[in-house]
Amino acid sequence: MSDQGSSSEPDPFRNLRLRGGEASSAPGFQPGAIVRVKVRNFVTYEEAEFFLGPNLNMVIGPNGTGKSSLVCAICLGLGYSPINLGRATQFSEYVKHGKDEAEIEIELQRKPEDEENYVVGLCIRREDNNRRYTLNGQRIGHKELMKLMHSLRIQIDNLCQFLPQDKVAEFAALTPIELLDKTLHAAAPEEMIQWRAELKELFQQQKENQRNSEKTAEEIKRLKSRQANLQTDVDKLREKKVIQKELEELHKLRMVVRYDVARQKFREAKVRKTETARSLKQLERSVAPAFEAVNKKQDYASNVKLVVTDRKRRLQAAEEAADAAAERVEAANTTAQQVAMSMDQEKKNIVEKKQKISAARKTITHLEAQYRRTPPEFDAADWNRRIRDENHKLREKDAEAEKVNEELRQFDNKRREIADKFARLKTARDGLDSQEGQLLNHLRRIDADAVRGWEWLKENKDGFEKEVFGPPVLTCSVKDKRYSDHIQSMLQKNDFVCFTVQTKEDHKKLSDQFYRKMGLSVTIRSSFHPLNTYRPPLPREELANLGFEGYVTDYFDGPEPVLAMLCAERKLHASAVSLRDVSDEQFDDILRGERLNQFAAGRKLYRITRRREYGPGAVSTRVQTFHRGVFWTEQAVDAPERAEIERQMSEINAQGRALVDSRNEKAKQKREIDDEREKIQARIDELQEQKNQLQREYTKWQGLPLKIETEKKALEAAQTAHAEALARALEMEKQLDKAILDKARAALHHHKQLSAIREARWALLEAQLILMEAESDVGVLKAKNTEVTQQLEEARRELMVVEDELKRQREIAAEAQADAVRVLDEANPDEMRAKAAGKTVEDIDQAIQVQTAKLDLIQASNPTALEEYERYAERIKDAETQQERQNNTLAELDAHIEEIKSQWEPKLDELVGEINDAFSYNFEQISCAGEVAVHKDEDFDKWAIEIRVKFRENETLQRLDQHRQSGGERAVSTIFYLMALQSMAQAPFRVVDEINQGMDPRNERMVHERMVEVACREHTSQYFLITPKLLSGLRYDERMRVHTIVSGENVDERGTEKMDFRRFAGIQRRLTGRA
């Protein structure tokens, strides 16, 4: 099988394509135009090659043959992303099914200064989505390839230049701003695009600077306001600062005055000390003989006192030596006790070691006796086999039990099904006595899924945001039964059985429940608008004149959301009803009124269709006779149906009884199996216990040699430890003897020290008695000179007082001098001396009190107001400087914007004017109207292209969008806009895929006429139109080339030879000539 691509006529440039970089220049091609496209294993093609024309290339062929694959090859082969196609997003998805790699080769027309065409190659590997680009056979990176595309002005990412099939809707959805951007890139010189980018950037800078300037102005205003609020406190704080400065000067002056006063007092104290010392010396000379004897006796007493002190020291030393000897006695005693205790403990240890040796010998004898007794033989494999046999029997019983359990579950499920079916039949039988029951039974016969959904909804109605309504056949009713058939004739089956929701979330939740979880086939509709928004087209009086009793909604009742849904779907609010048929005159009046398009009169339903685009006479009426409705009718209880239901209930009862008997049999079988399972399990447990017992005994016997060896080693260790303990006990006996001897020696030394203490005490007592006698003699002599002594003591005390006063005054003067020197160094000494002259410290203190009182009276609510005031002043200064810079920047930006705008805006107006002329002319050719204009705004980001069109005589020009025009009208407007860009196109080629789909034949023919006229002019860019069908008798131009795709599994490998369109055209001409 081979997929082939063929062209409708020979290719005059076939021999001009490059091979290995041959120089070529195809006539008529613009630089960057596509000369040739070759694909291999790409999408639907195994291998195909397209030789393209320089003007209009029409690519036609049935759906699925690979027309759009050519568009995909152009996009991907020139380095652009699959996103621009609106299809698969991975390159590997474009590799033909069953193939590993796909190849694309595109030949582009060279620039005049180049010597050869550009042959761009792309190889796509499916496995890893890898891509490899080449240019004229040499590897090239993607960035370098895109630089080449940019230099050739190829714009595959611009919908104005490259509009694939899956992007047509996206083009229609472009905003006017986006359309301007695409148009400029498609038709404007590069400098205009650059100017627009600069204007947008400059305007953003201008807005940013304007915002910053306004913020700065607001900041200055705010700072000045806050600064003004601080003015009162600032004035107070400044006055306070002056008083504080005066206080500081007074404190300094006080230091100078205090130093002068202290210096004067020091001089006076110095004079008093000199005079007092002179008087004391005179007194001492006069009483010297009287005190000579006293002094001698005092010297003797002092010497005796020194002896007493020495003997006290010797007594203390003897006592300390005795205490040290006592401590040595106690230490020796403690050592002896510790050695004795250790010796007792070691003796106990020796006894324990003897006991361990004896026990170890007994254990070894016992173990050797056990090892000599060989245990019964243990065959683990035999025991495991016996246990496996029993386990196999148990698994067989488990399988039988599981099978029976499954049958019991099936019995239970079937019993529940029978019970549910019986309950439904009972409900159906009971419902035969009510209209709702009859409707539900009837609904179950025609749509069982709707009934299942209704039953679920009744159980779960509280789980939604708003109330959800069931089928109208159950929730609605007819007020007047005479109109029941009329109303039902206007509804379809889904209208009777659909469900109604009021929110998107409820719609999503109900859809998930019904469709995904329950697998129901039901209809869910939404009602988002209230019933009062659906107003009748004619007043009731005018309606009565036409022969109608009212609208459907006058005789139909139900929940408002359900009625609103039916009005939206079936226009019930605009559908009239009458029990009598309308007359011819009334029918003519209805047609002339053009407001009533559906009504039921008598037993007939009328539907009127108007095609305003074809003129006022384009009216068709469909009349059909309606039959009796099946819902909302009062019918007697269906006795045969009741009998059928009761028969089914009786059958189900019999099935239930038989099912219970069968289940009881199975339950009995299950109990028997369970008993057998318990017996087998007991045998398994018994065998396992016997095996474990034998295994334990055998394992224990195997471990006896190791235990015997371990016990022997333990015996040797115990014997070694016993010998070591005996050696330690002998050594301890020696240590105890030495400790007792040391204790005796310490006791003898202590006794010797006690004798030394007694001798020292007697010597001290003797010296103390001699001291008492000497001190008594001194007292007697002093008593004789008491008066003289008192005079001398008073003179000495006076001298001491004067000396203390002199010292105090010296310190005060020194301290005051340091403060005064510091003050005088900081200030003018002469000025400070002048201020201090004649003042006392008390005068200065009084002045300080006055100023302090003034200071206390000044109270500012904000103690830091002055600092804040100064900070605000600094910030205001900085902000004003910043504002000046911002204003200068704004002026520069305004000038720059105006300079660029003065160049860009006229060129844009000229460009859009040319587009408008071509666009309007295109519309005039089809008797319609259209215009293209620029919407201008202060913000350059908001400049936009506005397209307005008019397709009918009685309309005004309306903006082109997705809501005002039909799909075909939007397609016509889109192709005319793209055609208007043709003569100004900057890109070397343009692609439009299936744009004519959805057009009516008239529009398609006119569009084709204009397209051929525009695209086949000289010096226009290359144009591609992809379409699966064309009308017959369309205009043909010599500059256009028609490519017919003949591709598919059933196409012969020689398809391009057999599909000779030149021969087909000759046959057609001969047939036409014969006719």
Side-chain angles (χ1 to χ4, degrees), residues 978-989:
L978 297 179
M979 288 164 57
L981 298 177
Q982 180 69 13
S983 62
M984 294 168 282
Q986 300 293 312
F989 63 85

Side-chain angles (χ1 to χ4, degrees), residues 300-301 304 308 311 765-775:
Y300 174 73
V304 173
V308 170
R311 292 185 178 180
L765 180 61
E766 180 183 5
Q768 286 176 338
L769 289 173
I770 294 171
L771 179 60
M772 289 173 64
E773 290 177 359
E775 288 177 345

